[in-house]
Amino acid sequence: MTGPRVPLAEIGFVPGVNVVWGASNAGKTFIMKALDFMTGAGSPLPDIEEIQGYERAWLEIDLPKSGRVTLVRSVSGGAFGSYEAGIAHDPDAEPARTLAADHRAKGESLSSFLLSELDVVDRRIARNQNSEKSSFTFRHFAPYVFTEETNMMGEWSPTRISAQSGDTFDRNVLKFIVTGVDDSAKQTTRSTDAQRTANLGKIELIDDMIAAAEDELARRWPDSADLEGQEERIADSIGGLQQTLSAHQLRLDELRRDRRAAVETATEAQERRSDIAITLDRFALLDAVYESDVARLQALEEGGAALLVGARRTCPLCGADPDDQRHAHGFDEIEVTQEATRAEIAKIRLERSDLRKAVASLEAERAGLSRRAERLAAEVAQLGKAIEATKPLEASSRLAYESLDRARHEARRGLAHLQSIEALRARRSRLAAFKPTAVARGSVSVGIGGVVGHELATTIQSVLHAWRFPGLPTVSFDPGSHDILINGKDRRANGKGVRALMNAAFKIGVLLHCRSKDLPHPGIIALDSPLLSYRDALTSRYGAVGADERQVAESGLNAHFYRHLLGLAETAQFIVIENDAPPFDLGDAARVTTFVGRQGTGGRKGFFPVSDPAA
């Protein structure tokens, strides 16, 4: 730990066995809490006098994938910084990444970072019999890694994650750790309390809907009790009005159809009159041509007659008598021409007579068409008046029909509103009679048992035998308490010191089981006061030593305990916090740190540097 005006406080550990022992109140338990704090614990560090002035806590760890990294965190809590190297103690250096303290936070968290190093990703643990689930986090590994003094000797199962987690969750966490199988496959069902709450919420919502619907009913349909009768009466009125409206509409359609036919006939007559007028104009031109042709032919005929009158006279040139004249001078041709002219005049007069007959016929037809057009115009005007007289009747009938239809629609809406209220009331009655369905106890398996429980108990038994636990006991796994039994006795039947040994053996047994099954485990075991049986009954705050604890203390178990840990030094890292020194020299492969306390001399005072009172 570092701060701007305080000396560096630090402690180092070797990969194998580490022992921190010494006087009380020297900071040994603080080390355990600090290790837990630096791996994501939500609870703050103890507010002790020695921590005043320190700002940052630093933890150097070796990870399977990332190698050596350093985590830094404010001593007041919050997020973590991560450096890809050993501890530098440089408060100004920017961390390579920032890790949230809460596993549920958006972005990367410390928990997800550490779990990814163990290839544990997106695992789900059932919290209860209904299989409601929570994500597995690194904090669920923590009780199997860091065991504080209170938990070490507690009467509760060593599987407990926290006082709030619940037995089902704790047992399912153990199952995942020792089997690698989580609860993602379990289907979630709502608890009875959740069902009741949801049902009450539905009833409350429906009550609000009923109240709102009744308020709208009273406001929009104040006479709602007679809505059905209103709807029937309006329907009868609409039925009679429909007949009247249909009759008016039929009459109006007939008048419009007749007027349209009269207009079309008048149009046809007018077009025929126009055609006749054009034809008469053309016939007038033709008659004029005929008259001109007749005049021209008559002039020609008269000229020939004049020529023939002077044909038998004395020649004006030579004076010869007609009988003595040798040339006829074309008199024969003149006579022929006269005859042809008279014939052509007769032909033209005949054609002109036919033309005049046609003109007379067309003029007569035109006069008839004019009279017909006048009659049709009068008929169209009369039909128009009839239509205009019928329109108000049809319009008023239609308006009355539309008004009644709107009233019927409103009555039907009111009836539908009443039906909706009745449906809501029926729904509320069904909800009021609702009874939640509970998951039958024992229908969903929780935690471990059977073969896995026996395997774990056997491994824990081998640990206790390696420690030469008195009597070389038989260890069994109790599925009911999810704890081990020693010779059939549960944890609460033993003294504090024996309970501490059972807890330590359990945590080491889980580690060894995971190693044998190639299952993920952080590979760190930190134990605070596992050898509590060796306490001094006169000076220890935990009081008298029970018979089972004296038997342990007299067996020399503490020596075998350390020898066993030394034998596992290649398997995991062990940190043991005790009040007494190991009974023998652990050798160079281990690290033993002694805290002599504030009043002690000749050694380290505690975790935090303290000036020597003798200096």
Side-chain angles (χ1 to χ4, degrees):
M1 294 192 175
T2 59
R5 290 179 296 276
V6 291
L8 175 68
E10 65 176 341
I11 189 169
F13 305 104
V14 296
V17 178
N18 300 269
V19 179
V20 181
W21 74 277
S24 298
N25 300 320
K28 302 190 304 296
T29 298
F30 180 87
I31 292 173
M32 180 71 74
K33 292 183 180 295
L35 289 172
D36 197 25
F37 176 78
M38 288 303 293
T39 51
S43 54
L45 288 170
D47 186 19
I48 59 177
E49 179 184 352
E50 290 82 359
I51 202 174
Q52 304 307 312
Y54 287 90
E55 290 183 338
R56 291 181 176 85
W58 308 74
L59 177 66
E60 182 182 290
I61 54 176
D62 291 336
L63 298 174
K65 298 178 181 179
S66 301
R68 180 158 297 182
V69 301
T70 296
L71 302 175
V72 62
R73 189 184 193 189
S74 167
V75 296
S76 60
F80 292 80
S82 175
Y83 298 86
E84 297 175 351
I87 293 177
H89 305 315
D90 182 359
D92 297 324
E94 284 293 328
R97 67 176 77 184
T98 299
L99 304 169
D102 190 345
H103 182 85
R104 298 165 298 180
K106 294 181 179 179
E108 192 175 17
S109 67
L110 176 69
S111 174
S112 61
F113 172 58
L114 296 178
L115 289 179
S116 67
E117 294 286 331
L118 299 172
D119 290 324
V120 178
V121 180
D122 295 333
R123 301 303 174 92
R124 307 282 289 172
I125 307 298
R127 300 193 304 270
N128 48 41
Q129 284 281 321
N130 297 88
S131 298
E132 295 174 333
K133 304 176 186 71
S134 294
S135 296
F136 181 83
T137 74
F138 189 78
R139 297 310 307 160
H140 302 144
F141 262 134
Y144 297 87
V145 176
F146 308 112
T147 306
E148 296 183 20
E149 186 177 37
T150 302
N151 291 329
M152 183 66 71
M153 67 187 73
E155 294 184 356
W156 50 87
S157 169
T159 62
R160 188 173 78 163
I161 303 298
S162 70
Q164 297 78 31
S165 57
D167 288 343
T168 300
F169 185 76
D170 296 343
R171 296 174 184 187
N172 285 333
V173 167
L174 174 66
K175 181 194 70 173
F176 169 66
I177 291 175
V178 299
T179 65
V181 178
D182 69 349
D183 299 311
S184 297
K186 290 182 179 179
Q187 298 300 313
T188 302
T189 56
R190 290 193 297 182
S191 66
T192 54
D193 287 342
Q195 293 177 52
R196 289 191 190 96
T197 301
N199 191 65
L200 289 174
K202 292 178 182 177
I203 291 175
E204 192 173 317
L205 177 62
I206 288 178
D207 284 341
D208 291 341
M209 293 172 67
I210 290 173
E214 288 178 340
D215 179 68
E216 184 178 3
L217 183 69
R219 179 167 44 83
R220 295 186 58 179
W221 299 280
D223 53 349
S224 58
D226 190 39
L227 279 174
E228 190 170 349
Q230 289 180 28
E231 197 273 338
E232 291 178 357
R233 290 192 295 274
I234 293 171
D236 292 340
S237 299
I238 285 177
L241 190 59
Q242 278 181 328
Q243 295 179 355
T244 303
L245 180 61
S246 298
H248 289 320
Q249 185 64 53
L250 181 61
R251 174 61 179 159
L252 196 59
D253 291 342
E254 289 176 351
L255 290 172
R256 286 170 175 166
R257 184 172 60 252
D258 292 344
R259 184 177 66 173
R260 185 167 53 252
V263 170
E264 290 176 354
T265 303
T267 301
E268 291 175 358
Q270 184 62 36
E271 290 176 352
R272 177 60 181 161
R273 287 175 62 190
S274 298
D275 291 341
I276 290 173
I278 293 172
T279 302
L280 288 175
D281 289 343
R282 290 176 179 175
F283 281 1
L285 291 174
L286 181 59
D287 184 69
V289 171
Y290 281 162
E291 185 177 356
S292 174
D293 288 345
V294 169
R296 180 176 53 78
L297 291 172
Q298 285 179 340
L300 184 61
E301 182 185 12
E302 291 175 358
L307 289 173
L308 288 177
V309 169
R312 295 297 179 182
R313 292 184 302 175
T314 300
C315 176
L317 297 175
C318 63
D321 291 330
D323 294 333
D324 295 328
Q325 293 177 7
R326 300 172 60 184
H327 300 288
H329 297 291
F331 294 121
D332 293 337
E333 289 83 354
I334 292 172
E335 290 177 354
V336 170
T337 300
Q338 277 186 315
E339 290 177 1
T341 299
R342 285 192 291 271
E344 185 65 24
I345 290 172
K347 177 182 175 184
I348 289 173
R349 285 175 175 167
L350 180 61
E351 291 178 351
R352 191 176 183 186
S353 176
D354 292 339
L355 177 62
R356 288 176 176 174
K357 290 178 181 179
V359 168
S361 175
L362 288 173
E363 287 179 345
E365 183 181 357
R366 182 168 65 175
L369 288 172
S370 296
R371 291 190 296 273
R372 186 179 182 187
E374 291 175 359
R375 186 178 69 255
L376 289 171
E379 183 179 348
V380 168
Q382 184 178 1
L383 289 171
K385 292 178 180 179
I387 289 172
E388 292 302 319
T390 306
K391 275 183 179 181
L393 297 176
E394 188 271 344
S396 63
S397 298
R398 184 175 299 281
L399 288 174
Y401 175 84
E402 291 175 351
S403 177
L404 286 173
D405 187 60
R406 286 193 296 271
R408 180 176 62 177
H409 178 69
E410 189 66 15
R412 287 177 174 175
R413 286 188 63 185
L415 289 172
H417 203 76
L418 278 172
Q419 292 173 356
S420 297
I421 292 174
E422 291 303 318
L424 287 172
R425 287 171 178 164
R427 174 62 175 161
R428 191 193 186 288
S429 297
R430 290 194 296 271
L431 290 172
F434 169 79
K435 293 183 179 179
T437 303
V439 177
R441 184 174 294 277
S443 62
V444 179
S445 62
V446 174
I448 64 173
V451 174
V452 177
H454 175 70
E455 289 179 348
L456 180 59
T458 301
T459 303
I460 296 171
Q461 177 177 285
S462 69
V463 173
L464 289 174
H465 286 189
W467 296 350
R468 307 291 175 88
F469 191 91
L472 298 180
T474 299
V475 177
S476 59
F477 185 81
D478 179 15
S481 64
H482 254 57
D483 198 356
I484 57 171
L485 305 177
I486 294 182
N487 294 330
K489 292 172 58 178
D490 65 17
R491 178 177 302 276
R492 289 175 295 180
N494 297 280
K496 294 182 180 68
V498 174
R499 293 200 300 267
L501 287 172
M502 292 174 68
N503 200 321
F506 191 97
K507 302 300 172 58
I508 294 174
V510 169
L511 166 70
L512 296 178
H513 176 89
C514 290
R515 289 289 187 258
S516 67
K517 301 293 184 180
D518 197 24
L519 294 170
H521 191 287
I524 303 168
I525 300 289
L527 306 170
D528 189 351
S529 304
L531 300 174
L532 188 64
S533 296
Y534 289 86
R535 69 185 180 276
D536 186 339
L538 297 178
T539 60
S540 174
R541 57 178 172 169
Y542 295 112
V545 177
D548 55 349
E549 296 176 274
R550 282 195 299 272
Q551 190 177 9
V552 167
E554 293 168 358
S555 70
L557 181 144
N558 56 347
H560 298 295
F561 170 83
Y562 284 113
R563 289 192 181 95
H564 182 241
L565 295 187
L566 290 171
L568 298 176
E570 298 296 326
T571 303
Q573 183 182 46
F574 298 96
I575 301 172
V576 179
I577 296 176
E578 275 293 345
N579 288 328
D580 299 319
F584 62 91
D585 185 359
L586 301 185
D588 295 336
R591 174 176 291 181
V592 179
T593 304
T594 304
F595 290 171
V596 299
R598 282 180 172 271
Q599 305 304 320
T601 58
R604 180 171 179 170
K605 303 296 183 182
F607 174 69
F608 292 98
V610 179
S611 59
D612 192 337

